[in-house]
Amino acid sequence: MSKGRFIVFEGIDGSGKTTQVQLLADFLREQGIETVVTAEPTALPTGKELRAALSGKEKKSECEMAALFVLDRIAHNNDKENGIRALVEKGAYVICDRYYYSTLAYQGMSTDYSWVKKMNLACPDIMRPDLCIYLDLLPEQSLERIRRGRESTEIYETEEILARVRNTFLTVINDLKKTDNIAVIDAYRPINAIAEDIKHAIGELN
């Protein structure tokens, strides 16, 4: 049985994660690799509660949001059939759109970074990815893409907040690159050029 891998995509909204996740999944499947695409927040009850809060329908404090993300992430890892751990152990490549890097960037920005980091990285039920791909994009370009693609925005989608989140993401990456395998990829370029860089990063895992 081939060794499974856990790959995470991160970036501020509009950075092209959805497109690149699908391109990578298609590429891996063409190579005969079982590939599962997933995302956070999940479709589990905790994820549904998070999505309601992100849309502004339910009010939650940033500490509540951080704790909910951890609960959702534990459930995401540990589901016996479709959880990250079970799939990777079975030999699949699991590609996840957002993971604990996002929680550190968003909730770590407005609560206590050390507390959020410890909840995620010290939790034995939360797997470390084999690779995190961070797609870097300027906030004004992000907002332009968001407005072009959707009729409504989420509570974190203003240029000022996106700029703060990008800066925090870069701080998170600088902090975690000591322990995590992180590839920072310029997302300003053509889709195919970005996809080639991602394939190269994946190839270095083997």
Side-chain angles (χ1 to χ4, degrees):
M1 183 177 66
S2 62
K3 183 178 180 181
R5 297 289 189 180
F6 178 32
I7 301 156
V8 169
F9 276 76
E10 292 282 9
I12 61 175
D13 289 339
S15 58
K17 289 185 288 80
T18 302
T19 298
Q20 293 300 333
V21 163
Q22 193 56 57
L23 287 173
L24 177 60
D26 291 345
F27 169 74
L28 292 171
R29 287 167 181 149
E30 286 169 4
Q31 312 308 307
I33 298 170
E34 181 183 357
T35 304
V36 178
V37 173
T38 185
E40 292 190 355
T42 68
L44 299 165
T46 44
K48 291 175 181 177
E49 189 172 354
L50 278 167
R51 291 183 189 279
L54 287 167
S55 69
K57 291 178 182 177
E58 292 187 16
K59 299 297 181 184
K60 300 283 185 186
S61 73
E62 290 298 331
C63 286
E64 286 177 307
M65 293 288 285
L68 275 172
F69 271 111
V70 170
L71 289 172
D72 192 40
R73 193 159 293 129
I74 290 170
H76 195 191
N77 273 266
N78 289 345
D79 186 274
K80 291 183 179 178
E81 290 187 7
N82 298 311
I84 296 166
R85 191 180 305 277
L87 290 166
V88 170
E89 288 177 354
K90 194 171 69 172
Y93 274 50
V94 177
I95 305 174
C96 187
D97 185 342
R98 296 204 180 283
Y99 201 54
Y100 57 62
Y101 309 90
S102 285
T103 306
L104 286 167
Y106 284 89
Q107 283 69 50
M109 176 177 67
S110 44
T111 59
D112 183 276
Y113 179 83
S114 297
W115 171 67
V116 177
K117 179 180 176 181
K118 187 174 181 179
M119 276 202 303
N120 283 275
L121 272 65
C123 178
D125 280 343
I126 295 177
M127 288 179 63
R128 293 286 186 97
D130 293 292
L131 174 65
C132 170
I133 296 166
Y134 177 71
L135 299 175
D136 193 28
L137 190 71
L138 291 174
E140 56 268 28
Q141 293 179 318
S142 162
L143 204 56
E144 180 185 343
R145 288 183 182 179
I146 291 166
R147 288 172 174 162
R148 192 167 60 228
R150 295 209 301 267
E151 293 181 1
S152 62
T153 57
E154 291 184 346
I155 59 174
Y156 294 113
E157 294 171 346
T158 69
E159 188 168 335
E160 179 184 358
I161 292 176
L162 287 166
R164 288 168 56 205
V165 172
R166 177 178 181 260
N167 288 337
T168 310
F169 256 125
L170 296 176
T171 301
V172 169
I173 288 166
N174 188 57
D175 180 29
L176 296 191
K177 69 182 181 182
K178 306 160 193 169
T179 56
D180 288 25
N181 183 17
I182 303 172
V184 179
I185 293 178
D186 182 352
Y188 304 163
R189 300 166 302 140
I191 290 171
N192 289 342
I194 298 166
E196 287 302 314
D197 280 358
I198 291 169
K199 290 177 191 176
H200 178 74
I202 298 297
E204 292 188 339
L205 292 176
N206 300 323

